[in-house]
Coordinates of all heavy atoms in Angstrom, one line a residue:
M30 N -187.2 -37.6 62.6 CA -187.6 -36.3 62.8 C -186.4 -35.3 62.5 O -185.3 -35.6 63.0 CB -188.1 -36.1 64.2 CG -188.5 -34.7 64.5 SD -189.3 -34.5 66.1 CE -187.9 -34.6 67.2
Q31 N -186.6 -34.2 61.9 CA -185.6 -33.3 61.6 C -185.7 -32.1 62.6 O -186.7 -31.9 63.2 CB -185.8 -32.7 60.2 CG -185.6 -33.8 59.1 CD -185.8 -33.2 57.7 OE1 -185.9 -32.1 57.5 NE2 -185.8 -34.1 56.7
K32 N -184.6 -31.3 62.6 CA -184.7 -30.1 63.5 C -185.6 -29.1 62.9 O -185.7 -29.0 61.6 CB -183.3 -29.5 63.6 CG -182.3 -30.4 64.4 CD -180.9 -29.7 64.4 CE -180.6 -29.3 65.8 NZ -179.2 -28.7 65.8
P33 N -186.3 -28.3 63.7 CA -187.1 -27.2 63.1 C -186.3 -26.3 62.3 O -185.2 -25.9 62.6 CB -187.7 -26.5 64.4 CG -187.5 -27.6 65.5 CD -186.3 -28.4 65.1
K34 N -186.9 -25.8 61.2 CA -186.2 -24.9 60.3 C -186.6 -23.4 60.6 O -187.5 -22.9 59.9 CB -186.6 -25.3 58.9 CG -186.2 -26.7 58.5 CD -186.7 -27.0 57.1 CE -186.4 -28.5 56.8 NZ -187.5 -29.3 57.1
I35 N -186.0 -22.9 61.6 CA -186.3 -21.5 62.0 C -185.0 -20.8 62.4 O -184.1 -21.4 62.9 CB -187.4 -21.3 63.1 CG1 -187.0 -22.0 64.4 CG2 -188.7 -21.9 62.6 CD1 -187.9 -21.7 65.5
V36 N -185.0 -19.5 62.3 CA -183.9 -18.7 62.8 C -184.5 -17.7 63.8 O -185.2 -16.8 63.5 CB -183.2 -17.8 61.7 CG1 -182.1 -17.0 62.2 CG2 -182.7 -18.7 60.6
I37 N -184.3 -18.1 65.1 CA -185.0 -17.4 66.2 C -184.7 -15.9 66.2 O -185.6 -15.1 66.5 CB -184.6 -18.0 67.6 CG1 -185.0 -19.5 67.6 CG2 -185.1 -17.3 68.7 CD1 -184.4 -20.3 68.7
D38 N -183.5 -15.5 65.9 CA -183.2 -14.1 66.0 C -184.0 -13.2 65.0 O -184.1 -12.0 65.1 CB -181.7 -13.9 65.7 CG -180.8 -14.5 66.8 OD1 -181.3 -14.6 67.9 OD2 -179.7 -14.8 66.6
N39 N -184.5 -13.9 63.9 CA -185.2 -13.1 62.9 C -186.8 -13.1 63.2 O -187.5 -12.4 62.4 CB -185.0 -13.8 61.5 CG -183.6 -13.6 61.0 OD1 -182.9 -12.8 61.5 ND2 -183.2 -14.4 60.1
L40 N -187.2 -13.7 64.3 CA -188.6 -13.7 64.5 C -189.1 -12.5 65.4 O -188.4 -12.2 66.4 CB -189.0 -15.0 65.3 CG -188.7 -16.3 64.6 CD1 -189.0 -17.5 65.5 CD2 -189.5 -16.4 63.3
P41 N -190.2 -11.9 65.0 CA -190.7 -10.8 65.9 C -191.3 -11.3 67.2 O -191.9 -12.4 67.1 CB -191.7 -10.1 65.0 CG -192.2 -11.2 64.1 CD -191.0 -12.1 63.8
E42 N -191.1 -10.6 68.3 CA -191.7 -11.1 69.5 C -193.1 -10.6 69.6 O -193.4 -9.4 69.3 CB -190.9 -10.5 70.7 CG -191.0 -11.4 71.9 CD -190.0 -11.1 73.0 OE1 -188.8 -10.9 72.6 OE2 -190.3 -11.1 74.2
E43 N -194.0 -11.5 69.8 CA -195.5 -11.2 69.8 C -196.2 -11.9 71.0 O -195.6 -12.6 71.7 CB -196.1 -11.8 68.5 CG -195.6 -11.2 67.2 CD -196.3 -9.8 67.0 OE1 -197.2 -9.4 67.6 OE2 -195.7 -9.1 66.1
S44 N -197.4 -11.6 71.1 CA -198.3 -12.3 72.1 C -198.9 -13.6 71.5 O -199.2 -13.6 70.3 CB -199.4 -11.4 72.5 OG -200.4 -12.1 73.2
F45 N -199.0 -14.6 72.3 CA -199.7 -15.8 71.9 C -201.1 -15.5 71.4 O -201.6 -16.2 70.5 CB -199.7 -16.9 73.0 CG -200.5 -18.1 72.6 CD1 -200.0 -19.0 71.8 CD2 -201.8 -18.3 73.1 CE1 -200.7 -20.2 71.4 CE2 -202.5 -19.4 72.7 CZ -202.0 -20.3 71.9
F46 N -201.7 -14.5 71.9 CA -203.1 -14.2 71.6 C -203.3 -13.7 70.2 O -204.4 -13.5 69.7 CB -203.7 -13.3 72.7 CG -203.6 -14.0 74.0 CD1 -202.7 -13.6 74.9 CD2 -204.5 -15.0 74.4 CE1 -202.6 -14.3 76.2 CE2 -204.4 -15.7 75.6 CZ -203.5 -15.3 76.5
E47 N -202.2 -13.4 69.5 CA -202.3 -13.0 68.1 C -203.0 -14.1 67.2 O -203.6 -13.9 66.2 CB -200.9 -12.8 67.5 CG -200.2 -11.6 68.0 CD -200.9 -10.3 67.6 OE1 -201.2 -10.1 66.4 OE2 -201.1 -9.4 68.4
I48 N -202.9 -15.4 67.7 CA -203.5 -16.5 67.0 C -205.0 -16.3 66.9 O -205.7 -16.8 65.9 CB -203.2 -17.8 67.6 CG1 -203.4 -19.0 66.7 CG2 -203.9 -18.1 68.9 CD1 -202.8 -20.3 67.0
Y49 N -205.7 -15.6 67.8 CA -207.1 -15.4 67.8 C -207.5 -14.3 66.8 O -208.7 -14.2 66.4 CB -207.6 -15.0 69.2 CG -207.5 -16.2 70.1 CD1 -206.6 -16.2 71.1 CD2 -208.4 -17.3 70.0 CE1 -206.5 -17.3 72.0 CE2 -208.3 -18.4 70.9 CZ -207.4 -18.4 71.9 OH -207.3 -19.4 72.7
K50 N -206.6 -13.5 66.4 CA -206.9 -12.4 65.4 C -206.9 -12.9 64.0 O -207.5 -12.3 63.1 CB -205.8 -11.3 65.5 CG -205.8 -10.5 66.8 CD -204.7 -9.5 66.8 CE -204.8 -8.7 68.1 NZ -203.7 -7.7 68.2
D51 N -206.3 -14.1 63.8 CA -206.4 -14.7 62.4 C -207.6 -15.6 62.3 O -207.8 -16.4 63.2 CB -205.1 -15.5 62.2 CG -205.0 -16.0 60.8 OD1 -205.6 -17.1 60.5 OD2 -204.4 -15.3 60.0
E52 N -208.4 -15.4 61.3 CA -209.6 -16.2 61.1 C -209.3 -17.7 61.1 O -210.1 -18.5 61.5 CB -210.2 -15.8 59.8 CG -211.6 -16.4 59.5 CD -212.2 -15.9 58.2 OE1 -212.0 -14.8 57.8 OE2 -212.8 -16.8 57.5
D53 N -208.2 -18.1 60.5 CA -207.8 -19.5 60.4 C -207.1 -20.0 61.6 O -206.5 -21.1 61.6 CB -207.1 -19.8 59.1 CG -207.9 -19.5 57.9 OD1 -209.1 -19.8 57.9 OD2 -207.3 -18.9 56.9
R54 N -206.9 -19.2 62.6 CA -206.2 -19.6 63.8 C -204.7 -20.0 63.5 O -204.3 -21.0 63.9 CB -206.9 -20.7 64.6 CG -208.2 -20.3 65.1 CD -208.2 -19.3 66.2 NE -209.5 -19.0 66.8 CZ -210.2 -17.9 66.5 NH1 -209.7 -17.0 65.8 NH2 -211.4 -17.7 67.1
M55 N -204.0 -19.1 62.8 CA -202.6 -19.4 62.4 C -201.7 -18.4 63.1 O -202.0 -17.3 63.3 CB -202.5 -19.2 60.9 CG -203.3 -20.2 60.1 SD -203.1 -19.9 58.3 CE -201.5 -20.6 58.0
L56 N -200.6 -19.0 63.5 CA -199.5 -18.2 64.1 C -198.2 -18.7 63.4 O -197.8 -19.8 63.6 CB -199.4 -18.5 65.6 CG -198.5 -17.7 66.5 CD1 -199.0 -16.2 66.5 CD2 -198.4 -18.2 67.9
I57 N -197.7 -17.8 62.6 CA -196.5 -18.2 61.8 C -195.4 -17.2 62.0 O -195.6 -16.0 61.9 CB -196.9 -18.3 60.3 CG1 -198.0 -19.4 60.1 CG2 -195.7 -18.7 59.4 CD1 -198.6 -19.5 58.8
N58 N -194.2 -17.7 62.2 CA -193.0 -16.9 62.3 C -193.1 -15.9 63.4 O -192.9 -14.7 63.3 CB -192.7 -16.1 61.0 CG -192.3 -17.1 59.9 OD1 -191.6 -18.0 60.1 ND2 -192.8 -16.8 58.7
H59 N -193.3 -16.4 64.6 CA -193.4 -15.5 65.8 C -192.5 -16.1 66.9 O -192.2 -17.3 67.0 CB -194.8 -15.4 66.4 CG -195.7 -14.6 65.5 ND1 -195.5 -13.3 65.1 CD2 -196.9 -14.9 64.9 CE1 -196.4 -12.8 64.4 NE2 -197.3 -13.8 64.2
Q60 N -192.2 -15.2 67.8 CA -191.4 -15.6 69.0 C -192.3 -15.2 70.2 O -192.7 -14.0 70.4 CB -190.1 -14.8 69.0 CG -189.1 -15.1 70.1 CD -187.8 -14.4 69.9 OE1 -187.1 -14.2 70.9 NE2 -187.5 -13.9 68.7
I61 N -192.6 -16.2 71.1 CA -193.5 -16.0 72.2 C -192.7 -16.3 73.5 O -192.2 -17.4 73.6 CB -194.7 -16.9 72.1 CG1 -195.3 -16.9 70.7 CG2 -195.7 -16.5 73.2 CD1 -195.9 -15.6 70.3
R62 N -192.5 -15.3 74.4 CA -191.7 -15.5 75.6 C -192.5 -15.1 76.9 O -193.2 -14.1 76.8 CB -190.4 -14.8 75.5 CG -189.5 -15.2 74.4 CD -188.2 -14.3 74.4 NE -187.3 -14.6 73.4 CZ -186.3 -15.4 73.5 NH1 -186.0 -15.9 74.7 NH2 -185.5 -15.6 72.5
N63 N -192.3 -15.9 77.9 CA -192.8 -15.5 79.3 C -194.2 -15.0 79.3 O -194.5 -13.9 79.8 CB -191.8 -14.4 79.9 CG -190.4 -14.8 79.9 OD1 -190.1 -15.9 80.3 ND2 -189.5 -14.0 79.4
Q64 N -195.1 -15.8 78.8 CA -196.5 -15.5 78.8 C -197.4 -16.5 79.4 O -197.0 -17.7 79.5 CB -197.0 -15.3 77.3 CG -196.3 -14.1 76.7 CD -196.9 -13.8 75.3 OE1 -198.0 -14.2 74.9 NE2 -196.1 -13.2 74.5
N65 N -198.5 -16.1 79.9 CA -199.5 -17.0 80.5 C -200.7 -17.2 79.5 O -201.4 -16.2 79.2 CB -200.0 -16.3 81.8 CG -201.0 -17.2 82.5 OD1 -201.5 -18.2 81.9 ND2 -201.3 -16.9 83.7
A66 N -200.7 -18.3 78.9 CA -201.8 -18.7 77.9 C -202.6 -19.9 78.5 O -202.9 -20.8 77.8 CB -201.2 -19.0 76.6
E67 N -202.9 -19.8 79.8 CA -203.7 -20.9 80.4 C -205.1 -20.9 80.0 O -205.7 -19.9 79.6 CB -203.6 -20.8 81.9 CG -202.1 -20.9 82.4 CD -202.1 -20.7 83.9 OE1 -202.7 -19.8 84.5 OE2 -201.4 -21.5 84.6
K68 N -205.7 -22.1 80.0 CA -207.2 -22.3 79.8 C -207.6 -21.7 78.4 O -208.7 -21.1 78.3 CB -208.0 -21.7 80.9 CG -207.7 -22.4 82.3 CD -208.5 -21.8 83.4 CE -208.1 -22.5 84.7 NZ -208.8 -21.9 85.8
Q69 N -206.8 -22.0 77.4 CA -207.2 -21.5 76.1 C -207.9 -22.7 75.4 O -207.7 -23.8 75.7 CB -206.0 -21.1 75.3 CG -205.2 -20.0 75.9 CD -206.1 -18.8 76.1 OE1 -206.7 -18.3 75.1 NE2 -206.1 -18.3 77.3
F70 N -208.8 -22.3 74.4 CA -209.4 -23.3 73.6 C -209.5 -22.8 72.1 O -209.9 -21.7 71.9 CB -210.9 -23.6 74.1 CG -211.6 -24.5 73.1 CD1 -211.4 -25.9 73.1 CD2 -212.5 -24.0 72.2 CE1 -212.1 -26.7 72.2 CE2 -213.1 -24.8 71.2 CZ -212.9 -26.1 71.3
F71 N -209.1 -23.7 71.2 CA -209.4 -23.4 69.8 C -209.3 -24.8 69.1 O -208.8 -25.7 69.5 CB -208.5 -22.4 69.2 CG -207.1 -22.6 69.2 CD1 -206.4 -23.4 68.4 CD2 -206.3 -21.9 70.2 CE1 -205.1 -23.6 68.4 CE2 -204.9 -22.0 70.2 CZ -204.3 -22.9 69.3
E72 N -210.0 -24.8 68.0 CA -210.1 -25.9 67.1 C -209.4 -25.6 65.8 O -209.5 -24.6 65.2 CB -211.6 -26.2 66.8 CG -211.9 -27.6 66.5 CD -213.4 -27.8 66.4 OE1 -214.1 -27.5 67.3 OE2 -213.8 -28.3 65.3
R73 N -208.5 -26.6 65.4 CA -207.8 -26.5 64.1 C -206.8 -25.3 64.1 O -206.8 -24.6 63.1 CB -208.7 -26.5 63.0 CG -209.5 -27.8 62.8 CD -210.0 -28.0 61.5 NE -208.8 -28.3 60.7 CZ -208.8 -28.6 59.4 NH1 -209.9 -28.7 58.8 NH2 -207.7 -28.8 58.7
G74 N -206.1 -25.1 65.1 CA -205.0 -24.0 65.1 C -203.8 -24.5 64.3 O -203.5 -25.7 64.3
I75 N -203.1 -23.6 63.7 CA -201.8 -23.9 63.0 C -200.7 -23.0 63.5 O -200.9 -21.8 63.5 CB -202.0 -23.7 61.5 CG1 -203.1 -24.7 60.9 CG2 -200.7 -23.9 60.8 CD1 -203.5 -24.4 59.5
I76 N -199.6 -23.6 64.0 CA -198.5 -22.9 64.4 C -197.3 -23.4 63.6 O -197.0 -24.6 63.6 CB -198.2 -23.1 66.0 CG1 -199.4 -22.5 66.7 CG2 -196.9 -22.4 66.4 CD1 -199.4 -22.8 68.2
E77 N -196.6 -22.5 62.9 CA -195.5 -22.8 62.1 C -194.3 -21.9 62.4 O -194.5 -20.7 62.6 CB -195.8 -22.7 60.6 CG -196.9 -23.7 60.2 CD -197.2 -23.6 58.7 OE1 -196.6 -22.8 58.0 OE2 -198.0 -24.4 58.2
Q78 N -193.1 -22.5 62.3 CA -191.9 -21.7 62.4 C -191.9 -20.7 63.5 O -191.6 -19.5 63.3 CB -191.5 -21.1 61.0 CG -191.3 -22.2 60.0 CD -190.9 -21.6 58.6 OE1 -191.4 -20.6 58.3 NE2 -190.1 -22.3 57.9
S79 N -192.2 -21.1 64.7 CA -192.3 -20.2 65.9 C -191.5 -20.7 67.0 O -191.2 -21.9 67.1 CB -193.8 -20.0 66.3 OG -194.5 -19.3 65.2
Y80 N -191.1 -19.9 67.9 CA -190.3 -20.2 69.1 C -191.1 -19.8 70.4 O -191.5 -18.6 70.5 CB -189.0 -19.5 69.0 CG -188.1 -19.7 70.2 CD1 -187.3 -20.8 70.3 CD2 -188.0 -18.7 71.2 CE1 -186.5 -21.0 71.4 CE2 -187.2 -18.9 72.3 CZ -186.4 -20.0 72.4 OH -185.6 -20.2 73.5
F81 N -191.2 -20.7 71.3 CA -191.9 -20.4 72.6 C -190.9 -20.7 73.7 O -190.3 -21.7 73.8 CB -193.1 -21.4 72.7 CG -194.2 -21.1 71.7 CD1 -194.1 -21.7 70.4 CD2 -195.3 -20.4 72.1 CE1 -195.1 -21.4 69.5 CE2 -196.3 -20.2 71.1 CZ -196.2 -20.7 69.8
E82 N -190.9 -19.8 74.6 CA -190.0 -19.9 75.8 C -190.8 -19.5 77.1 O -191.3 -18.4 77.1 CB -188.7 -19.1 75.7 CG -187.7 -19.3 76.8 CD -186.4 -18.6 76.5 OE1 -185.9 -18.7 75.5 OE2 -186.1 -17.8 77.4
H83 N -190.8 -20.4 78.0 CA -191.5 -20.2 79.3 C -192.9 -19.7 79.2 O -193.3 -18.6 79.7 CB -190.7 -19.2 80.2 CG -189.3 -19.7 80.5 ND1 -189.1 -20.9 81.3 CD2 -188.1 -19.3 80.1 CE1 -187.8 -21.1 81.3 NE2 -187.2 -20.2 80.6
V84 N -193.7 -20.4 78.4 CA -195.1 -20.1 78.2 C -196.0 -21.1 78.9 O -195.7 -22.3 78.8 CB -195.5 -20.0 76.7 CG1 -197.0 -19.7 76.5 CG2 -194.6 -19.0 75.9
K85 N -197.0 -20.7 79.7 CA -197.8 -21.6 80.4 C -199.1 -21.8 79.6 O -199.9 -20.9 79.4 CB -198.2 -21.0 81.8 CG -197.0 -20.8 82.7 CD -197.5 -20.2 84.0 CE -196.3 -20.0 84.9 NZ -196.7 -19.4 86.2
F86 N -199.3 -23.1 79.2 CA -200.5 -23.5 78.5 C -201.4 -24.4 79.4 O -202.3 -25.0 78.8 CB -200.1 -24.3 77.3 CG -199.4 -23.5 76.2 CD1 -198.0 -23.7 76.1 CD2 -200.0 -22.6 75.4 CE1 -197.3 -23.0 75.1 CE2 -199.3 -21.9 74.4 CZ -197.9 -22.1 74.3
N87 N -201.2 -24.4 80.7 CA -202.0 -25.2 81.6 C -203.5 -25.3 81.3 O -204.1 -24.2 81.0 CB -201.9 -24.8 83.0 CG -200.4 -24.5 83.5 OD1 -199.6 -24.2 82.7 ND2 -200.2 -24.7 84.7
Q88 N -204.1 -26.4 81.3 CA -205.5 -26.7 81.2 C -206.1 -26.1 79.9 O -207.2 -25.8 79.8 CB -206.2 -26.1 82.4 CG -205.8 -26.7 83.7 CD -206.5 -26.1 84.9 OE1 -207.0 -25.0 84.8 NE2 -206.6 -26.9 85.9
S89 N -205.3 -26.1 78.8 CA -205.8 -25.6 77.5 C -206.2 -26.8 76.7 O -205.8 -27.9 76.9 CB -204.7 -24.9 76.7 OG -204.3 -23.7 77.4
D90 N -207.1 -26.5 75.7 CA -207.7 -27.6 74.9 C -207.4 -27.1 73.4 O -208.0 -26.2 72.9 CB -209.2 -27.7 75.1 CG -209.8 -28.9 74.4 OD1 -209.1 -29.4 73.5 OD2 -210.9 -29.2 74.7
F91 N -206.4 -27.8 72.8 CA -206.1 -27.5 71.4 C -206.5 -28.6 70.5 O -205.6 -29.5 70.2 CB -204.6 -27.2 71.3 CG -204.1 -26.1 72.2 CD1 -203.0 -26.3 73.0 CD2 -204.7 -24.9 72.2 CE1 -202.5 -25.2 73.8 CE2 -204.3 -23.8 73.0 CZ -203.1 -24.0 73.8
Y92 N -207.7 -28.7 70.1 CA -208.2 -29.8 69.3 C -207.7 -29.6 67.9 O -207.9 -28.6 67.2 CB -209.7 -29.8 69.3 CG -210.4 -30.9 68.5 CD1 -210.3 -32.2 68.9 CD2 -211.0 -30.6 67.3 CE1 -210.9 -33.2 68.2 CE2 -211.6 -31.6 66.6 CZ -211.5 -32.9 67.0 OH -212.1 -33.9 66.3
R93 N -207.1 -30.7 67.3 CA -206.6 -30.7 66.0 C -205.5 -29.6 65.7 O -205.4 -29.1 64.6 CB -207.7 -30.7 64.9 CG -208.6 -31.9 65.1 CD -209.7 -31.8 64.1 NE -209.2 -32.1 62.7 CZ -209.9 -32.0 61.6 NH1 -211.2 -31.7 61.7 NH2 -209.4 -32.2 60.5
L94 N -204.7 -29.3 66.7 CA -203.6 -28.4 66.5 C -202.6 -29.0 65.6 O -202.2 -30.1 65.7 CB -203.0 -28.1 67.9 CG -201.7 -27.2 67.9 CD1 -202.1 -25.8 67.5 CD2 -201.2 -27.2 69.3
E95 N -202.0 -28.1 64.7 CA -201.0 -28.5 63.8 C -199.7 -27.7 64.1 O -199.7 -26.5 63.9 CB -201.4 -28.3 62.3 CG -202.5 -29.2 61.9 CD -202.9 -29.0 60.4 OE1 -202.1 -28.5 59.7 OE2 -204.1 -29.2 60.1
L96 N -198.7 -28.4 64.6 CA -197.4 -27.7 64.9 C -196.3 -28.1 63.9 O -196.1 -29.3 63.7 CB -196.9 -28.1 66.3 CG -197.8 -27.6 67.5 CD1 -197.4 -28.3 68.7 CD2 -197.6 -26.1 67.6
T97 N -195.7 -27.2 63.3 CA -194.6 -27.5 62.3 C -193.4 -26.6 62.5 O -193.6 -25.3 62.7 CB -195.2 -27.3 60.9 OG1 -196.3 -28.1 60.7 CG2 -194.1 -27.7 59.8
D98 N -192.2 -27.1 62.5 CA -191.0 -26.4 62.6 C -191.0 -25.4 63.7 O -190.7 -24.2 63.5 CB -190.7 -25.6 61.3 CG -190.3 -26.6 60.1 OD1 -189.6 -27.6 60.4 OD2 -190.7 -26.4 59.0
S99 N -191.3 -25.8 64.9 CA -191.4 -24.9 66.1 C -190.6 -25.5 67.2 O -190.4 -26.7 67.3 CB -192.9 -24.7 66.5 OG -193.6 -24.0 65.4
I100 N -190.2 -24.6 68.1 CA -189.4 -25.0 69.3 C -190.1 -24.5 70.6 O -190.6 -23.3 70.6 CB -188.0 -24.3 69.2 CG1 -187.3 -24.9 68.0 CG2 -187.2 -24.7 70.5 CD1 -186.0 -24.1 67.7
F101 N -190.2 -25.3 71.6 CA -190.8 -25.0 72.9 C -189.8 -25.3 74.0 O -189.4 -26.4 74.1 CB -192.1 -25.9 73.1 CG -193.2 -25.6 72.2 CD1 -193.3 -26.1 70.9 CD2 -194.2 -24.7 72.6 CE1 -194.3 -25.8 70.1 CE2 -195.3 -24.4 71.7 CZ -195.3 -25.0 70.5
V102 N -189.4 -24.2 74.7 CA -188.4 -24.4 75.7 C -189.0 -24.0 77.1 O -189.5 -22.8 77.2 CB -187.1 -23.5 75.4 CG1 -186.1 -23.6 76.6 CG2 -186.5 -23.9 74.1
G103 N -189.0 -24.9 78.0 CA -189.5 -24.6 79.4 C -190.9 -24.2 79.5 O -191.3 -23.5 80.3
C104 N -191.7 -24.7 78.6 CA -193.2 -24.4 78.6 C -193.9 -25.4 79.4 O -193.5 -26.6 79.6 CB -193.7 -24.5 77.1 SG -193.0 -23.2 76.1
D105 N -195.1 -25.0 79.9 CA -195.9 -25.9 80.8 C -197.2 -26.3 80.1 O -198.0 -25.4 79.8 CB -196.2 -25.1 82.1 CG -196.8 -26.0 83.2 OD1 -197.3 -27.1 82.8 OD2 -196.8 -25.6 84.3
F106 N -197.3 -27.6 79.8 CA -198.5 -28.1 79.2 C -199.3 -29.0 80.1 O -200.0 -29.9 79.7 CB -198.1 -29.0 78.0 CG -197.5 -28.2 76.8 CD1 -196.2 -28.0 76.6 CD2 -198.4 -27.7 75.9 CE1 -195.7 -27.2 75.6 CE2 -197.9 -26.9 74.8 CZ -196.6 -26.7 74.6
S107 N -199.2 -28.7 81.4 CA -199.9 -29.5 82.4 C -201.4 -29.5 82.1 O -202.0 -28.5 81.9 CB -199.7 -28.9 83.8 OG -198.3 -28.9 84.2
N108 N -202.0 -30.7 82.2 CA -203.4 -30.9 82.0 C -204.0 -30.4 80.7 O -205.1 -29.9 80.6 CB -204.2 -30.3 83.2 CG -203.8 -31.0 84.5 OD1 -203.8 -32.2 84.5 ND2 -203.6 -30.2 85.5
C109 N -203.2 -30.4 79.7 CA -203.6 -29.9 78.3 C -204.2 -31.1 77.6 O -203.8 -32.2 77.7 CB -202.5 -29.4 77.5 SG -202.0 -27.7 77.9
K110 N -205.2 -30.7 76.7 CA -205.8 -31.7 75.8 C -205.3 -31.3 74.4 O -205.4 -30.2 74.0 CB -207.3 -31.7 75.8 CG -207.9 -32.1 77.1 CD -209.4 -32.0 77.1 CE -210.0 -32.3 78.4 NZ -211.5 -32.2 78.3
M111 N -204.8 -32.3 73.7 CA -204.3 -32.1 72.3 C -204.8 -33.2 71.4 O -204.1 -33.9 70.8 CB -202.8 -32.0 72.3 CG -202.3 -30.7 72.9 SD -200.6 -30.5 72.6 CE -200.2 -29.2 73.7
E112 N -206.1 -33.4 71.5 CA -206.7 -34.5 70.7 C -206.5 -34.3 69.2 O -206.8 -33.2 68.7 CB -208.2 -34.6 71.1 CG -208.9 -35.8 70.5 CD -210.3 -35.9 71.0 OE1 -210.7 -35.3 72.0 OE2 -211.1 -36.6 70.3
E113 N -206.1 -35.3 68.5 CA -205.8 -35.3 67.1 C -204.8 -34.2 66.7 O -204.8 -33.7 65.6 CB -207.1 -35.1 66.3 CG -208.1 -36.3 66.5 CD -209.3 -36.2 65.6 OE1 -209.1 -35.8 64.4 OE2 -210.4 -36.6 66.1
A114 N -203.9 -33.8 67.6 CA -202.8 -32.9 67.3 C -201.7 -33.5 66.4 O -201.5 -34.7 66.5 CB -202.2 -32.3 68.5
V115 N -201.1 -32.7 65.6 CA -200.0 -33.2 64.7 C -198.8 -32.4 65.0 O -198.8 -31.2 65.0 CB -200.4 -33.0 63.2 CG1 -199.3 -33.4 62.3 CG2 -201.7 -33.8 62.9
F116 N -197.6 -33.1 65.2 CA -196.4 -32.5 65.5 C -195.4 -32.9 64.4 O -195.1 -34.0 64.2 CB -195.8 -32.9 66.8 CG -196.6 -32.5 68.0 CD1 -197.8 -33.2 68.3 CD2 -196.2 -31.5 68.8 CE1 -198.5 -32.8 69.4 CE2 -196.9 -31.1 69.9 CZ -198.1 -31.7 70.2
I117 N -194.9 -31.9 63.6 CA -193.9 -32.2 62.5 C -192.7 -31.3 62.7 O -192.8 -30.1 62.7 CB -194.6 -31.8 61.1 CG1 -195.8 -32.7 60.9 CG2 -193.5 -32.1 60.0 CD1 -196.6 -32.3 59.7
D118 N -191.6 -31.9 62.9 CA -190.3 -31.3 63.2 C -190.4 -30.2 64.3 O -190.1 -29.0 64.1 CB -189.8 -30.6 61.9 CG -189.5 -31.6 60.8 OD1 -189.2 -32.8 61.1 OD2 -189.5 -31.3 59.6
V119 N -190.9 -30.7 65.5 CA -191.1 -29.9 66.6 C -190.1 -30.3 67.7 O -190.0 -31.5 68.0 CB -192.5 -29.9 67.1 CG1 -192.7 -29.2 68.4 CG2 -193.5 -29.4 66.1
N120 N -189.4 -29.3 68.3 CA -188.5 -29.6 69.4 C -189.2 -29.2 70.7 O -189.5 -28.0 70.9 CB -187.2 -28.8 69.2 CG -186.2 -29.2 70.2 OD1 -186.4 -30.0 71.1 ND2 -185.0 -28.5 70.1
L121 N -189.4 -30.2 71.6 CA -190.0 -29.9 72.9 C -189.0 -30.1 74.1 O -188.6 -31.2 74.3 CB -191.2 -30.9 73.1 CG -192.4 -30.8 72.1 CD1 -193.3 -31.9 72.3 CD2 -193.1 -29.4 72.3
E122 N -188.6 -29.0 74.7 CA -187.8 -29.0 75.9 C -188.7 -28.5 77.0 O -188.6 -27.4 77.4 CB -186.6 -28.2 75.7 CG -185.7 -28.6 74.6 CD -184.5 -27.7 74.3 OE1 -184.2 -26.9 75.1 OE2 -184.0 -27.7 73.1
I123 N -189.6 -29.3 77.4 CA -190.8 -28.9 78.2 C -190.4 -28.9 79.7 O -189.7 -29.9 80.2 CB -192.0 -29.8 78.0 CG1 -192.4 -29.8 76.5 CG2 -193.1 -29.4 78.8 CD1 -193.4 -30.8 76.1
A124 N -190.9 -28.0 80.4 CA -190.7 -28.0 81.9 C -191.7 -28.9 82.5 O -191.3 -29.7 83.4 CB -190.9 -26.5 82.4
R125 N -192.9 -28.9 82.1 CA -194.0 -29.8 82.6 C -194.9 -30.2 81.5 O -195.2 -29.5 80.6 CB -194.8 -29.1 83.6 CG -194.1 -28.8 84.9 CD -195.1 -28.2 85.9 NE -194.3 -27.9 87.1 CZ -194.9 -27.3 88.1 NH1 -196.1 -27.0 88.1 NH2 -194.1 -27.1 89.2
C126 N -195.4 -31.5 81.6 CA -196.4 -31.9 80.6 C -197.3 -33.0 81.2 O -197.0 -33.5 82.2 CB -195.6 -32.3 79.4 SG -195.5 -33.9 78.7

């Protein structure tokens, strides 16, 4: 596994919920910090080159989620379902899982 290829300082800070505005459920080149994204559900989401810090994903269901070149620091994935999820060059420094 390689380190994620992102430059955190160049990423705009956004809401996790931007992923729902995209028809294909894509979140690319974003920085997400200190947010509550509990009890979310989506199918076939794509997250690329993004940075997450202290985001709560408790009890979320991310079916067939594709994560590429992303970093998660201090995030909470308690009771999450990630059936058929794919992680490519993802760094997880998780608080809970």
